[in-house]
Amino acid sequence: MQQALAKCCTLLITALGIATGSHAQTYPNRPITLVMPYSAGTGIDSATRVFAEKLRQHLGQAAIVQNKVGAAGNIGTEFVARAPADGYTLLVVANTLAMNPSLYKNLPYDPQKDLVPISLLFKGAMVLLANQNVSAQHLPEFIAAAKKAPGKLNYASTGVGTPQHLAMELLKSTTGMNVLHIPHKGAAEAVTSIVSGQVEIGFVPIQSALVQIASGKVHALAVSSPQRQAALPDVPTVAEALGKPFDVDLWYGLFAPAGTPPPVLQKLNQEVRSALGQAEAQRSLAAQGMTATPSTAGELKALVTADIKRWAQVIDAAGIRTD
């Protein structure tokens, strides 16, 4: 009886292995949907469409970008988390994935259990802008001025709980300055508020601010990334300006529903590397203010784990809640 049971188990395991391998060999045999949980026309949306075209060329199947917007990316993310685990519905999401678990009490998905990482896709940096009424030309000068007038200066963000908001809260906790948060609806509105002088400073995506910086309507105090940015080579990093570590890149990764067959995940990772390795793709992404940064699945998993812990500390310390 035991021998018969063991034989049955062996046959079942073999059959599952053959089925999985067969699925990977034929994958994909129809279009893939890349769910974008942010609005059309944003920097990440444009970058994802560049990536989708390159992915189509490599996979031989269409990669369709579908915007499912709302709740700081939670609507689109939950949609993918509940989708069939067959490799045909994937998620392109920002590092809000690692922030939202601490911002929302009743998150409808678990980013570490309901999703599996495939690869990092792109990174983008932010720049800390100051309006022309701010006399400080360097970050230490602004920090000193803010400390002399606690609670009297304001900063813009692209919304409560966004990377731009949390980057400033991290800067506040790092430096001890007290500036007040004025949330806005997106980067364009935040930049307009800074340019007009309604608020003194604010972190915004670099690509959203280059025209205003070049025209002299605002000046750049620092960039949020660990390295200087090619688009603003003379602007120091926050870490340089402070003489201590500071790193708030905007990162974007590709995820699949939990349970997606490993051979499919491996194939997707290989194709991501090939698609983003093209010089043309890298130039197109650079025009969107993005840098191609493909990774292993393990590297993306480690990044998500570390960022969930990191941003939980910032969010709890600042008492930020969105629901």
Side-chain angles (χ1 to χ4, degrees):
M1 182 69 177
Q2 290 179 341
Q3 289 179 341
L5 181 60
K7 185 176 181 180
C8 274
C9 289
T10 300
L11 289 172
L12 178 60
I13 291 170
T14 301
L16 288 172
I18 292 172
T20 301
S22 175
H23 182 72
Q25 289 174 2
T26 60
Y27 173 86
N29 56 22
R30 55 188 171 89
I32 294 169
T33 297
L34 300 177
V35 174
M36 163 59 49
Y38 314 109
S39 299
T42 57
I44 177 56
D45 178 78
S46 300
T48 299
R49 292 177 190 277
V50 170
F51 166 65
E53 173 56 23
K54 298 306 175 186
L55 193 62
R56 179 196 65 78
Q57 294 172 9
H58 280 263
L59 288 176
Q61 291 287 344
I64 301 166
V65 178
Q66 182 179 14
N67 298 88
K68 284 191 171 293
V69 183
N74 286 332
I75 290 176
T77 301
E78 182 187 10
F79 177 83
V80 176
R82 304 288 177 251
D86 55 12
Y88 288 96
T89 305
L90 307 176
L91 174 71
V92 177
V93 69
N95 45 343
T96 50
L97 184 75
M99 299 170 177
N100 287 348
S102 296
L103 291 169
Y104 293 85
K105 294 179 181 178
N106 300 306
L107 202 64
Y109 60 88
D110 185 321
Q112 294 177 292
K113 293 180 180 179
D114 296 331
L115 297 167
V116 289
I118 297 172
S119 173
L120 267 175
L121 296 177
F122 339 106
K123 282 190 176 181
M126 295 180 286
V127 59
L128 184 60
L129 296 182
N131 70 47
Q132 287 304 296
N133 296 325
V134 173
S135 60
Q137 297 296 308
H138 305 286
L139 181 56
E141 295 175 38
F142 180 84
I143 293 169
K147 287 184 175 180
K148 291 179 181 178
K152 293 185 178 180
L153 302 179
N154 301 317
Y155 77 89
S157 82
T158 57
V160 175
T162 60
Q164 292 78 13
H165 177 199
L166 299 188
M168 182 57 76
E169 289 301 321
L170 179 60
L171 183 61
K172 286 170 58 179
S173 67
T174 301
T175 61
M177 67 174 175
N178 178 14
V179 290
L180 300 181
H181 179 213
I182 308 296
H184 293 72
K185 295 178 181 178
E189 187 176 293
V191 171
T192 298
S193 184
I194 297 168
V195 170
S196 66
Q198 296 179 48
V199 297
E200 280 75 22
I201 60 170
F203 276 112
V204 298
I206 282 182
Q207 67 270 22
S208 300
L210 291 177
V211 172
Q212 289 79 8
I213 293 171
S215 68
K217 294 180 180 179
V218 293
H219 52 275
L221 296 178
V223 293
S224 66
S225 53
Q227 296 88 26
R228 292 197 183 198
Q229 294 294 305
L232 297 170
D234 297 327
V235 178
T237 67
V238 173
E240 284 182 88
L242 298 183
K244 61 180 67 175
F246 188 94
D247 174 10
V248 188
D249 271 334
L250 296 170
W251 60 254
Y252 306 91
L254 184 66
F255 295 80
T260 301
V264 171
L265 297 174
Q266 292 164 10
K267 183 170 185 178
L268 282 166
N269 182 274
Q270 293 169 358
E271 297 300 342
V272 166
R273 289 173 176 273
S274 297
L276 295 180
Q278 297 180 36
E280 182 186 348
Q282 292 170 6
R283 286 193 296 269
S284 296
L285 289 169
Q288 307 296 336
M290 303 287 179
T291 302
T293 54
S295 72
T296 67
E299 288 168 339
L300 179 53
K301 181 179 180 180
L303 178 59
V304 172
T305 300
D307 265 13
I308 286 176
K309 180 178 180 180
R310 172 194 189 191
W311 292 117
Q313 294 172 344
V314 173
I315 291 164
D316 289 345
I320 302 167
R321 286 293 179 270
T322 56
D323 60 358

